Amino acid sequence: MDRFDLSGKVALVTGGTRGIGYAIVKKFLESGASVTLCGSRKETVDRALEQLKKEAPDGDVSGIFPSLSDPEEVKAAIAEIKGKYGRLDILVNNAGISQSTSLEDYTPEEFNKIMELNVTSVFNCSQAAAAVMKEQGGGVILNTSSVVSLFGQPSGCGYPMSKYAVNGLTRSLARELASSNIRVNAVAPGVTNTDMVAGLPEKFRAPLLSKIPLGRFGEPEDIANAFAFLASDSASYITGVVLSVDGCYINN
Ligand code: NAD
C-alpha cells in the first residue's frame, strides 16, 4: 500500500503541470483529494488536465494560472478555491526554476526572476492560504526545497539561495502557525528525472550519479510519495522539517 489517505481534503499544487508537481497532483488525486493545479500558462495547464483525465480518471481536478508573484492574483485564486470547496486543506508550493549562471554573468533581471518565483511566490501563496486555514481551524503547507539547500552548488548561486530561503520560511512558519493547527514542512529532492535535469549532458550526469549511494536518480513519484505522507494525517506530529529525498546524496 503506497497511498496515504487524503479523502475529502482540498489541495492546491503550484507548478503542477509537469515533473514533480504533476506527480504530486496525480498522487493526491489517487489518495482521494480534490486538487487545483497551478501552472504558468493556460496551454500547459490544459495539457496536464488532459493527461490526468487518462491517468487519474476518477480524480476531481481543475487548473488555474495566476501570476504567483502578484499577491492580489494569488489571493483571488485561493478565494476562488474557497468559494468552490468551502476550504483549503493543503497548499504545495512546488513551482520553481533553477539556474546555472556564474556570479559574474548574473544580471539583476535574472537574479530577480528566480527570487520572484522560488521565494516571493512561496511567501504569497503561504500568506493567502494560511489566512483561509486559520479561519477553518487548520491545514498543511508543504514546500519544495532542494538538496542544494544543504550543500550549495558550484554555479547558479541564486538557486541554492532561493531554496535556503524556502527552508527558513518553512521552519519559521512552522513555529508561527503551530498554534493555528497549521503544519509547515518541506521536501528536499535530490537529482530527479524531470525536464529540469533532462538537458544535463552526460559529462555532468555520470559524476552526479556517482554521489548517490542508491545508484539512481529519483523519479517524480519518489518525491510525490513524501509529499503525500507529509500532507496526510499520518504526519500529524511533524512540522518544521526539511525532509531529504535524495538517495543519500553525498556532496564530496
Ligand atoms: P519542471 O521544470 O519539470 O517543472 C516546473 C513547474 O513549475 C512546471 O509545472 C512549471 O509550469 C512551473 N512553473 C515554472 N515557472 C512558473 C511560473 N512563473 N509560474 C507558475 N508556475 C511556474 O521542474 P521540476 O524538476 O518538476 O521542479 C519542481 C520543483 O522541484 C522546483 O521547485 C525545483 O526547484 C524542485 N527540485 C527539482 C529537482 C530536480 O532534480 N528535478 C531537485 C530538487 C528540487
Side-chain angles (χ1 to χ4, degrees):
M1 169 73 172
D2 66 346
R3 282 181 201 162
F4 292 96
D5 185 17
L6 301 178
S7 319
K9 308 256 189 208
V10 176
L12 168 62
V13 180
T14 72
T17 59
R18 60 172 195 257
I20 291 171
Y22 181 86
I24 295 169
V25 171
K26 192 173 158 210
K27 181 67 61 182
F28 279 17
L29 291 170
E30 290 166 350
S31 306
S34 296
V35 183
T36 303
L37 71 83
C38 166
S40 53
R41 289 182 294 125
K42 183 175 185 318
E43 303 81 75
T44 52
V45 167
D46 287 346
R47 201 179 311 140
L49 292 175
E50 271 308 305
Q51 203 174 328
L52 285 163
K53 264 192 209 157
K54 293 178 208 137
E55 296 184 358
D58 300 328
D60 173 17
V61 61
S62 51
I64 54 173
F65 41 93
S67 166
L68 296 176
S69 58
D70 179 339
E72 293 311 316
E73 281 199 34
V74 168
K75 264 189 220 154
I78 287 181
E80 203 179 310
I81 295 170
K82 193 181 171 218
K84 181 171 173 190
Y85 294 105
R87 54 193 300 109
L88 175 63
D89 300 294
I90 305 160
L91 164 67
V92 179
N93 287 305
N94 169 76
I97 49 170
S98 67
Q99 290 172 343
S100 55
T101 316
S102 67
L103 181 60
E104 66 206 23
D105 288 337
Y106 259 106
T107 59
E109 291 73 26
E110 194 171 1
F111 181 76
N112 289 339
K113 187 176 170 197
I114 198 161
M115 291 302 152
E116 234 178 43
L117 182 64
N118 291 16
V119 181
T120 308
S121 299
V122 177
F123 174 83
N124 289 342
C125 293
S126 301
Q127 190 181 43
V132 173
M133 290 173 181
K134 271 186 185 177
E135 231 175 64
Q136 72 196 15
V140 179
I141 297 175
L142 301 175
N143 300 321
T144 308
S145 180
S146 168
V147 66
V148 302
S149 77
L150 306 171
F151 305 120
Q153 63 183 22
S155 67
C157 60
Y159 184 57
M161 270 180 83
S162 71
K163 296 300 187 179
Y164 273 83
V166 165
N167 293 358
L169 183 71
T170 301
R171 295 204 172 98
S172 300
L173 289 186
R175 297 175 70 171
E176 185 170 341
L177 299 176
S179 60
S180 301
N181 193 31
I182 299 170
R183 295 187 293 107
V184 187
N185 292 299
V187 173
V191 187
T192 309
N193 274 322
T194 69
D195 289 357
M196 202 175 260
V197 298
L200 272 183
E202 190 49 35
K203 66 173 182 178
F204 293 120
R205 296 176 78 89
L208 272 177
L209 201 53
S210 72
K211 294 178 175 195
I212 305 171
L214 279 185
R216 65 174 177 88
F217 289 167
E219 294 302 326
E221 193 178 358
D222 293 318
I223 314 302
N225 283 332
F227 275 97
F229 165 58
L230 289 172
S232 75
D233 294 343
S234 300
S236 61
Y237 196 53
I238 301 177
T239 193
V241 306
V242 178
L243 176 63
S244 293
V245 183
D246 60 8
C248 192
Y249 182 90
I250 297 165
N251 189 51
N252 55 18

